[in-house]
Amino acid sequence: MGLFTKDIKTMNDLFVHQLQDIYYAEQQLTKALPKMAEKATDKQLKDGFLKHLDETKVHVQRLEQVFQMHGVKASAVNCPAIDGIIKEADETAGDVADKKVLDAALINAAQAAEHYEIVRYGSLIAWARQLGRNDCASVLQKTLDEEKATDQKLTALAEGKVNLRAAS
Ligand code: FE
Ligand code: FE
């Protein structure tokens, strides 16, 4: 689906398109998070990535649930934004020699992904409500709450110890 084929005509089309986009993004994140956990040195950070991996698998399932509730077959469209975030994370991680600095870089990369998700889910929830789909909105809200909590935990980890250690 390209911008110039004008496949997105209605707000409902936009809602479905964005569901397909975040469905792809969540699937890619289920592949990226184990690699990030592997690279992390700090135990809490490693565990945090693995916990969010479990949550991310549920995010995929919730999206399938929303597709079904909305009467649309679950499918994914390429999301170049998340591909870029993941690619950049890989490249940066590959360039960081010091393990403690790498932890700080991994947190930054993970927060870029979380913020991307937060933006997308925020709009999806608003659009679902506008389309009279409060049922879909409340399922999506559960995921948004987990993304926000993850983002806050990453900030706490960075500011609490990881940045300090990276700088020492
Ligand atoms: Fe997610
Ligand atoms: Fe997430």
Side-chain angles (χ1 to χ4, degrees), residues 20-88:
Q20 294 168 329
D21 172 292
I22 196 75
Y23 187 49
Y24 173 90
E26 294 283 17
Q27 287 172 336
Q28 296 312 112
L29 289 168
T30 63
K31 295 182 213 164
L33 280 161
K35 293 183 199 160
M36 292 171 79
E38 216 169 281
K39 286 177 195 157
T41 301
D42 181 84
K43 171 97 170 67
Q44 253 185 304
L45 181 58
K46 200 181 267 289
D47 292 348
F49 283 145
L50 293 175
K51 179 175 185 265
H52 198 54
L53 170 63
D54 288 340
E55 287 175 343
T56 300
K57 288 175 184 166
V58 177
H59 298 173
V60 171
Q61 290 168 4
R62 284 199 192 115
L63 286 169
E64 285 163 359
Q65 190 188 342
V66 170
F67 276 117
Q68 197 183 21
M69 287 160 79
H70 202 53
V72 185
K73 193 177 159 288
S75 64
V77 292
N78 277 2
C79 168
I82 202 73
D83 284 341
I85 288 170
I86 293 170
K87 186 165 177 271
E88 191 187 66

Side-chain angles (χ1 to χ4, degrees), residues 41-42 45 96-108 157-168:
T41 301
D42 181 84
L45 181 58
V96 180
D98 185 309
K99 292 248 180 237
K100 289 171 183 132
V101 178
L102 177 59
D103 277 354
L106 287 170
I107 291 179
N108 179 240
L157 257 181
E159 292 180 355
K161 59 173 170 178
V162 171
N163 290 349
L164 190 74
R165 240 187 257 152
S168 68

